[in-house]
Amino acid sequence: MNLTGTLEELRKITPLHFYNWHKHWKSSTLIQMWKAACSQASVAPHVLKTILLILKGKPGEMEDTVTEGKRFSLDITNLMPLAACQALCTFLPLGSYRKAVAQYFPQLLTTLMFQVFYNSELKPILKDRALYAQDALRVLLNCSGLQQVDITLMKENFWDQLSEDLCYYHGVCFIAKTLSEYNFPQFPETLSYLYKLSVEGPRRSEDTVIVLIFLTELLNNFFKDPLPEEFLVLFINWINDSNPVVSRLILHRIVHMSPIINKTENVSSILIAILDAFLSKDDNVVLQALLTLRRLLNELDKVTYSLGTRIGSSYCTLMDHINGGIRSMAIRHFGQLVRDMRQYTWMVNDVVLEGLVPLILFLEDDDKRVAEACKYTLKICTSQLKWSTSRLLKDENYSFEMVVLNICNNLIISHRNYITDLTSDTLRFLWSPRTYLKRASVILIGYLAKSGGHLLLRDEIEVMLDVIERLLRDEDPMIKQLAEITYDIFKKKAHKLTSAPLKQNFQKLLKLFYIKKLKPLYNYNSPNGQIDSPTDSKDVKNDKAL
């Protein structure tokens, strides 16, 4: 037989030949092709490359020339990957293919895992043909010196469960873990190929997920030293991926890899990427980012709280999130951050004061999880500032107005320079559509004005008056009542600004040296409170006695 001629014929094999090769076994030409393909080692690389090219396709997927997208249709030509998997079951065990199989092991392993996933999705349609890829993967393991891996998978009933399990991703993780347990010798080239594939970008989002799981599981099992920088960059790209499934999954995988990630020199870069994920439109990504960041901060081997202020600010942006679960988690994690940073007093106090307004206002949140998270975090924050507020946050003592009163009195004593900024922070919540936020912010801004109104400029007071005047027409009668009191406070402040400059300066100077504690103004009955009226509180009685 002319091998050169046969090779030329072999190179002309089409996808249709692969699908129909078992049907046309009587064709002498086709028989010669398969004999040549099976018996000649020199042909093996070309055959495997051809098969790998075919396996880039997804069973049932066809290009749609009209929509320039993809559509699903089962016919002979687009079932080619099934035939290619069936052919691999024949070629891979052959001695003449041993060298080529070793050469293309990473590509074959990864591609067959893709196909197993595709076929598991189509099992109701493909029926027995759905097992071709699974059979080919098992053959690959056995002819690559990994018989023990296949035996272990068999003992775990893995292959049967895999064909039934809707969540194939757990199967990918288990394969990678089992390969790692047997210290498979193909690890270096497999890791290199997975990295190359990740950088180039797989053709489908589900491929990206499989590569991500497989790569991270291998890294987690083989690396005990700091993670190489190039993989850190890859993780950051995945965190920023437009597919929320990819983002959420890499954030989840990072949690399991935290010991080796925390040893990385440039760990701050991945912390910043996680903070950027806080801005995702997908709530599940945001929640996973919160959990991942907290886990990394819990296990950091070295102090990397140079990012403390930025982390705190990122938590603050989530305290007003529409999702109550995200609000409560961000608030709790903010408190834990403050607790972790307590030794850095020069930094942590600024962080606390930046988050103070939402922590106060969301005490009145309708979602109990959020209200409880605020109490938890405010206890940490006020203790850090050495304020005696914690006892007022206990359920048996809680009154929203008394908490606000206590905090504002402490601000006058120790942090009066922040009152103007806190007033500005509160202003934006007056526009909230949430009733409890408008009520709470009207009360807080009133007390802030009472304690530090002399620090406000005329233009700032006029802005406050315009906003509060709008609330005088609010549909909620409680908001209207509270707004009237607050509006009167700002009116009096505005009137004082019309007095002679000398008198104004004297009043400001007097306030610097004479501190007058505030007294209750609103007699507010909090829906979340335990005390019916602030005047029932022991603190108020003490204040009146002063």
Side-chain angles (χ1 to χ4, degrees):
M1 181 177 66
N2 186 342
L3 183 58
T4 303
T6 305
L7 273 172
E8 289 302 318
E9 292 296 323
L10 183 63
R11 296 179 192 278
K12 295 178 184 178
I13 289 178
T14 66
L16 190 59
H17 286 133
F18 266 99
Y19 183 75
N20 284 331
W21 73 277
H22 63 285
K23 295 182 179 180
H24 298 286
W25 60 273
K26 292 183 180 180
S27 166
S28 58
T29 303
L30 201 56
I31 290 173
Q32 286 183 345
M33 288 183 185
W34 292 125
K35 284 183 177 179
C38 294
S39 60
Q40 300 297 326
S42 60
V43 179
H46 170 73
V47 173
L48 292 184
K49 285 172 68 176
T50 304
I51 291 176
L52 285 169
L53 185 63
I54 293 168
L55 289 176
K56 287 184 177 181
K58 184 175 181 179
E61 186 177 82
M62 292 187 67
E63 298 289 338
D64 194 323
T65 55
V66 178
T67 63
E68 296 185 354
K70 298 183 185 297
R71 62 184 177 87
F72 181 80
S73 174
L74 287 178
D75 60 30
I76 289 178
T77 55
N78 61 27
L79 284 178
M80 279 301 310
L82 298 177
C85 289
Q86 195 175 19
L88 282 177
C89 292
T90 301
F91 295 145
L92 294 180
L94 299 175
S96 55
Y97 272 69
R98 187 173 298 131
K99 186 176 179 181
V101 170
Q103 180 184 351
Y104 289 102
F105 177 85
Q107 293 92 323
L108 289 166
L109 178 66
T110 307
T111 303
L112 286 173
M113 285 198 297
F114 292 162
Q115 289 296 324
V116 171
F117 174 72
Y118 302 154
N119 294 353
S120 65
E121 288 185 317
L122 298 174
K123 188 184 177 186
I125 302 172
L126 298 176
K127 298 181 180 177
D128 291 342
R129 290 178 294 180
L131 299 178
Y132 292 164
Q134 182 176 305
D135 292 342
L137 182 54
R138 291 190 62 195
V139 171
L140 175 66
L141 293 174
N142 279 282
C143 70
S144 301
L146 301 172
Q147 295 89 342
Q148 286 301 317
V149 173
D150 183 45
I151 291 171
T152 300
L153 295 174
M154 283 285 288
K155 286 181 179 178
E156 296 293 331
N157 202 27
F158 172 78
W159 299 112
D160 291 337
Q161 292 178 9
L162 186 64
S163 61
E164 298 172 1
D165 192 356
L166 294 176
C167 191
Y168 173 69
Y169 300 144
H170 293 297
V172 174
C173 189
F174 191 72
I175 290 174
K177 184 178 180 182
T178 308
L179 285 167
S180 302
E181 287 175 354
Y182 286 97
N183 202 23
F184 75 117
Q186 299 91 342
F187 167 72
E189 53 265 41
T190 301
L191 187 66
S192 178
Y193 176 71
L194 289 170
Y195 176 75
K196 177 176 177 290
L197 195 61
S198 302
V199 172
E200 293 174 352
R203 297 178 62 188
R204 301 174 184 85
S205 59
E206 57 263 47
D207 295 357
T208 302
V209 171
I210 292 171
V211 170
L212 186 160
I213 295 171
F214 197 57
L215 177 63
T216 53
E217 185 64 26
L218 290 180
L219 289 171
N220 197 35
N221 285 294
F222 276 94
F223 276 90
K224 303 303 177 188
D225 296 323
L227 193 69
E229 185 72 22
E230 56 266 34
F231 290 108
L232 205 62
V233 173
L234 187 59
F235 287 6
I236 291 170
N237 291 338
W238 276 332
I239 292 172
N240 297 324
D241 197 278
S242 57
N243 183 354
V245 175
V246 174
S247 300
R248 186 170 71 252
L249 189 57
I250 186 60
L251 288 166
H252 178 71
R253 298 297 301 169
I254 287 171
V255 170
H256 297 285
M257 300 179 67
S258 55
I260 61 172
I261 288 177
N262 284 337
K263 294 178 182 178
T264 306
E265 186 68 26
N266 193 22
V267 68
S268 60
S269 63
I270 204 159
L271 294 179
I272 291 171
I274 294 171
L275 293 179
D276 291 340
F278 283 6
L279 304 176
S280 172
K281 294 180 181 179
D282 188 288
D283 288 357
N284 290 322
V285 172
V286 179
L287 285 167
Q288 187 59 61
L290 283 165
L291 291 169
T292 300
L293 179 63
R294 188 63 244 164
R295 179 65 176 271
L296 289 176
L297 293 178
N298 280 341
E299 298 190 9
L300 279 175
D301 297 330
K302 52 191 175 186
V303 178
T304 54
Y305 285 108
S306 57
L307 288 172
T309 302
R310 182 167 179 175
I311 294 171
S313 297
S314 297
Y315 283 139
C316 289
T317 61
L318 294 180
M319 290 182 187
D320 191 24
H321 199 280
I322 192 66
N323 184 304
I326 291 175
R327 288 203 304 279
S328 61
M329 190 179 295
I331 289 167
R332 282 190 178 275
H333 289 187
F334 182 86
Q336 291 165 6
L337 177 72
V338 171
R339 182 195 60 202
D340 295 344
M341 293 174 59
R342 59 184 175 270
Q343 58 183 319
Y344 306 102
T345 306
W346 57 273
M347 183 191 301
V348 73
N349 286 358
D350 287 340
V351 172
V352 168
L353 291 162
E354 182 182 356
L356 192 59
V357 167
L359 289 176
I360 295 170
L361 298 182
F362 284 100
L363 282 168
E364 293 296 280
D365 201 306
D366 293 336
D367 190 326
K368 187 176 179 180
R369 296 173 301 172
V370 179
E372 290 300 317
C374 286
K375 289 179 182 179
Y376 166 83
T377 296
L378 271 174
K379 287 176 184 176
I380 296 173
C381 292
T382 53
S383 296
Q384 173 64 34
L385 296 170
K386 296 180 170 47
W387 294 351
S388 57
T389 312
S390 294
R391 59 192 177 81
L392 295 174
L393 294 167
K394 294 179 179 179
D395 289 343
E396 62 270 21
N397 300 327
Y398 178 74
S399 164
F400 176 73
E401 187 173 356
M402 287 309 303
V403 172
V404 173
L405 182 62
N406 177 280
I407 289 174
C408 287
N409 278 328
N410 279 291
L411 283 169
I412 295 171
I413 296 170
S414 60
H415 293 85
R416 65 171 62 189
N417 291 338
Y418 285 89
I419 291 177
T420 302
D421 291 336
L422 295 174
T423 303
S424 298
D425 291 345
T426 309
L427 182 62
R428 70 183 178 91
F429 289 99
L430 291 171
W431 296 92
S432 173
R434 287 173 271 190
T435 300
Y436 70 84
L437 270 184
K438 283 192 284 189
R439 290 179 181 177
S441 56
V442 168
I443 293 172
L444 178 57
I445 207 166
Y447 276 110
L448 289 171
K450 195 74 174 174
S451 59
H454 60 286
L455 301 173
L456 296 173
L457 301 175
R458 185 189 301 274
D459 290 344
E460 292 173 330
I461 291 179
E462 288 179 357
V463 170
M464 302 292 180
L465 284 170
D466 288 342
V467 175
I468 296 167
E469 187 177 13
R470 180 181 60 84
L471 294 177
L472 295 174
R473 300 184 293 275
D474 196 274
E475 294 178 356
D476 183 81
M478 176 65 75
I479 291 175
K480 289 169 66 175
Q481 181 183 342
L482 298 172
E484 287 173 1
I485 300 172
T486 302
Y487 188 80
D488 185 60
I489 294 170
F490 278 100
K491 267 293 189 184
K492 289 178 180 178
K493 296 294 179 184
H495 178 71
K496 289 181 180 180
L497 288 177
T498 61
S499 59
L502 183 62
K503 184 178 179 181
Q504 290 180 40
N505 292 335
F506 176 74
Q507 289 174 339
K508 288 183 179 180
L509 185 63
L510 182 65
K511 287 181 181 292
L512 288 175
F513 297 100
Y514 175 69
I515 297 174
K516 183 180 179 181
K517 295 184 74 175
L518 301 177
K519 296 181 180 180
L521 301 170
Y522 295 90
N523 197 30
Y524 174 63
N525 292 319
S526 168
N528 296 338
Q530 303 298 320
I531 299 176
D532 292 335
S533 169
T535 56
D536 294 333
S537 170
K538 183 179 178 181
D539 275 0
V540 177
K541 293 176 183 177
N542 290 339
D543 281 343
K544 286 183 176 180
L546 292 174

